């Protein structure tokens, strides 16, 4: 199973682009990478999911290099409401499913 | 809103007791996963149920058990509660297929063990 690590915290200003990286050195070939946002005492909220290269949706982009040992969540033009904890999640199927969340990155957006 | 609901929202138990937490999946989803999130920590995978059978398990002892019903709702049962079981318990539902298994989370149940 992949071990996933993230920076503990990041600060940014409103309107800036924020990039958060997750390291998953032992990711298996069939693992997807999913990113979530979590506010205090709430369940994680889905942001984006990818397998390789680049994925973009209306709120974020996800960059996955060819070796897939890391992934980067990119949030364009953050606002104060983006202050939250961001997690990557790596899933693996090898007979049965198992999932590992990253260590989480606490993003603080400043005015 | 993900359409995943959990009950109860909060629960207080004493050490040694047993607890049952419930989860209703998002419409159309056939898979349910449970996670434990201690205060200030990331969620830890407990297990997953697919078509009423356990389909994966994390590093949790057997006193953590579950059920999935024909309507795909699910229960998490924890026996012999310990103080360290105090946490936010999260349920996530997904539609398992060969291409993706995006999980959508409920709001969680906050369990306090005294």
């Amino acid at each position: 199973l992949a071990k996933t690590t993230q920076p503990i915290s990041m600060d940014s200003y409103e309107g800036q682009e924020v990039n958060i990286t997750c390291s998953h050195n032992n990711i298996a070939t069939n693992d997807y990478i999913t990113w979530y946002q979590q506010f205090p005492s709430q369940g994680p909220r889905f942001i984006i999911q990818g397998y390789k290269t680049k994925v973009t949706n209306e709120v974020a982009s996800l960059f996955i290099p060819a070796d897939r040992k890391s992934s980067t969540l990119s949030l364009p033009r953050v606002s104060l409401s983006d202050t939250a904890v961001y997690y990557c999640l790596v899933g693996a199927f090898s007979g049965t499913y198992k999932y590992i969340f990253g260590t989480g990155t606490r993003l603080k957006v400043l005015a | 809103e993900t359409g995943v609901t959990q009950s109860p929202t909060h629960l207080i138990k004493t050490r040694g007791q047993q607890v049952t937490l419930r989860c209703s999946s998002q419409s159309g989803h056939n898979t349910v996963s449970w996670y434990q999130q201690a205060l200030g920590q990331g969620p830890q995978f407990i297990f997953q149920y697919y078509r009423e059978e356990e389909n994966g398990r994390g590093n949790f002892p057997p006193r953590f058990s579950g059920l999935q019903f024909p309507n795909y709702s699910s229960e998490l049962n924890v026996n012999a509660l310990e103080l360290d079981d105090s946490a936010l318990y999260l349920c996530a539902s997904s539609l398992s297929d060969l291409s993706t298994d995006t999980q959508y989370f409920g709001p969680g149940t906050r369990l306090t063990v005294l």
Side-chain angles (χ1 to χ4, degrees), chain A residues 26-109:
Chain A
N26 299 320
I27 190 170
T29 55
N30 57 348
D31 284 6
Y32 275 84
I33 301 152
T34 312
W35 283 81
Y36 292 88
Q37 175 193 57
Q38 188 177 31
F39 298 109
S41 297
Q42 295 185 23
R45 185 177 75 93
F46 171 80
I47 301 173
I48 197 166
Q49 182 182 66
Y51 181 77
K52 60 181 179 181
T53 62
K54 177 184 175 181
V55 180
T56 298
N57 63 20
E58 62 276 9
V59 298
S61 294
L62 178 59
F63 300 91
I64 304 170
D67 65 8
R68 302 197 338 114
K69 293 185 176 182
S70 66
S71 59
T72 299
L73 172 71
S74 180
L75 303 173
R77 299 178 299 282
V78 294
S79 63
L80 295 176
S81 62
D82 293 320
T83 295
V85 180
Y86 292 82
Y87 292 99
C88 60
L89 173 64
V90 176
F93 178 75
S94 57
T96 62
Y97 279 98
K98 296 186 190 295
Y99 298 95
I100 298 179
F101 269 91
T103 48
T105 298
R106 189 171 300 275
L107 172 66
K108 185 175 182 179
V109 179

